[in-house]
Amino acid sequence: MTRSGKIVCGACECVPEGPSDPNPGDRIFCPRCNRADKFEDVLKSVADYIADNEKQALSGLVAEVVRGNKHIHLSNQRSAKLSHRWIVRFPS
């Protein structure tokens, strides 16, 4: 399944500006807070953000599945909330 979303600044959630068809080395910047990175770094940050969110979702599913199982015990330790320079927002 493929979903489309908007890349936004991780600090202020503003849509970044840059070339309409950027190359990996092109600069992408947030017009609100002036955060700027190369396009390839923006994509890496978004990929990391998605991976971290998928890990959290999977951890929640595993916890639901094993809840009440007397043979499996999960710690209540949660991973720290990570911050990402660039994130993606999907429509509801």
Side-chain angles (χ1 to χ4, degrees):
M1 180 170 105
T2 302
R3 292 176 56 192
S4 294
K6 284 191 181 214
I7 294 174
V8 296
C9 175
C12 67
E13 295 202 18
C14 184
V15 175
E17 294 182 2
S20 59
D21 188 19
N23 293 312
D26 288 341
R27 299 298 285 178
I28 305 298
F29 69 96
C30 175
R32 185 178 297 153
C33 70
N34 296 317
R35 175 173 284 182
D37 285 306
K38 288 190 267 183
F39 183 58
E40 63 189 346
D41 295 332
V42 170
L43 293 180
K44 183 182 179 324
S45 177
V46 168
D48 290 345
Y49 171 79
I50 291 170
D52 288 342
N53 278 304
E54 291 300 316
K55 287 176 195 172
Q56 288 178 347
L58 184 58
S59 292
L61 289 173
V62 169
E64 282 293 318
V65 168
V66 301
R67 182 172 286 138
N69 186 316
K70 63 182 179 183
H71 301 292
I72 300 174
H73 299 283
L74 298 178
S75 71
N76 288 333
Q77 184 179 11
R78 300 230 177 214
S79 59
K81 191 81 170 161
L82 301 173
S83 64
H84 298 275
R85 290 182 61 79
W86 304 96
I87 61 176
V88 65
R89 289 292 181 227
F90 295 102
S92 303

